[in-house]
Amino acid sequence: MRQSKHPLVERDLIGIVEHIVETTQGDFDAAARRLDEVDDLIRDIAANPASGMRLAGPLEGWLVRHGGRGHRLTIVFRADLQRDVLQIALVAFGGQDWVSLGAERKGSEF
């Protein structure tokens, strides 16, 4: 399944790395492990793209999955099975307000 990521997903990932490096006093290995967890979660989603909590309200039509160590990672996505495309709207970490982020990105084309 091909992936299509919102342009701001890259910023999400950079923010996760910066946060981890800052809170761990420079542990880049810890940040790399979290990025590996993001990749693993995306692979899991791609393997079963209909699995996830269906969202309502401003994020209707999207799904969310939590994963990684402590289930601290959040990915909001939807799958276009006819086109075989997994659209990833955002990647959040920890206590980020992913609902608001997702609502801002929902109408964007990517």
Side-chain angles (χ1 to χ4, degrees):
M1 178 168 269
R2 185 173 63 84
Q3 294 177 19
S4 174
K5 295 177 181 168
H6 188 281
L8 295 177
V9 167
E10 188 70 27
R11 186 177 77 179
D12 297 342
L13 298 174
I14 290 168
I16 290 169
V17 168
E18 289 174 346
H19 172 75
I20 292 171
V21 168
E22 181 180 314
T23 59
T24 61
Q25 291 76 43
D27 189 348
F28 287 94
D29 289 337
R33 286 190 299 273
R34 264 313 166 181
L35 291 179
D36 289 342
E37 291 175 5
V38 169
D39 291 339
D40 291 344
L41 183 54
I42 290 173
R43 271 192 296 278
D44 289 347
I45 292 168
N48 193 358
S51 176
M53 185 175 79
R54 301 201 186 303
L55 299 172
L59 293 174
E60 188 169 342
W62 292 84
L63 295 111
V64 65
R65 293 259 306 263
H66 304 284
R69 193 180 72 240
H71 290 280
R72 295 189 51 139
L73 293 171
T74 301
I75 297 180
V76 174
F77 66 96
R78 68 178 168 197
D80 183 336
L81 299 178
Q82 292 178 343
R83 292 185 5 205
D84 198 36
V85 175
L86 177 66
Q87 294 180 310
I88 300 170
L90 68 90
V91 178
F93 177 68
Q96 280 184 290
D97 181 5
W98 58 267
V99 174
S100 294
L101 284 174
E104 291 171 10
R105 296 180 189 182
K106 182 181 178 198
S108 300
E109 292 297 321
F110 53 99

